Amino acid sequence: MKFSIVTVCLNAGDDLLHTISSVLKQTYTNFEIIVKDGCSSDGSIERLPTDYRINVIKKEDSGIYDAMNKGIKLASGDIIGIINSDDFYKSNNVIATVANAFNDNSIDVVFGNIQFVNPNNVTRIVRKYSGKGFRPWMFRWGIMPPHPSFFTRKSCYEKYGMYNSTFNISGDYDLMVRFLLVNKLNYKYIDLDM
């Protein structure tokens, strides 16, 4: 099973290198990284290591969700995960743990927990956001799984659509509503801080 990890960025500085390094350190190695860059001018793309698994696409886009869609369209993996250019995987076993959950072919979506950290001290946790206890009816109150921990099969994007790029900030919410509430995709929560 191949994973496609999509990162979108624009002038992400050193954060992008930290993000991509956390993916490259994963113990599960059957993955590609798609970096969709909106034509950065800060040299952040040039700082990335040379690795055959990294595919950089420099092209203007109309916003974050348009950029994510462009990355997803280029993905060759069976499973797609989105990691923001200022996020990082907490452990080297994130993808391996998620892959284990997807060994159940009835599962379409996997999500877990995320932690917000102090940008000046990434070992200092300032907030935890857990997917535990989430049920699709909770969308009515604006509750959703943490998007950076959200992995889904590429076939789900092909069947149910991608991010609505007309939204500025709620395209992830809209996508999860369509996937988990409207189309009732099978999901699995894993108790893992990603």
Side-chain angles (χ1 to χ4, degrees), residues 130-148:
S130 175
K132 185 177 184 179
F134 169 80
R135 300 295 178 269
W137 58 264
M138 294 176 170
F139 282 120
R140 287 181 256 174
W141 288 280
I143 298 170
M144 66 185 228
H147 184 242

Side-chain angles (χ1 to χ4, degrees), residues 125-179:
I125 299 166
V126 296
R127 179 178 165 223
K128 293 184 178 186
Y129 180 7
S130 175
K132 185 177 184 179
F134 169 80
R135 300 295 178 269
W137 58 264
M138 294 176 170
F139 282 120
R140 287 181 256 174
W141 288 280
I143 298 170
M144 66 185 228
H147 184 242
S149 76
F150 190 85
F151 291 80
T152 190
R153 296 186 189 276
K154 184 175 183 185
S155 59
C156 295
Y157 288 106
E158 294 167 345
K159 186 170 184 181
Y160 302 109
M162 293 195 274
Y163 293 93
N164 184 333
S165 60
T166 64
F167 289 116
N168 290 325
I169 59 170
S170 57
D172 49 350
Y173 184 83
D174 169 73
L175 180 124
M176 289 188 202
V177 167
R178 281 186 283 118
F179 280 20

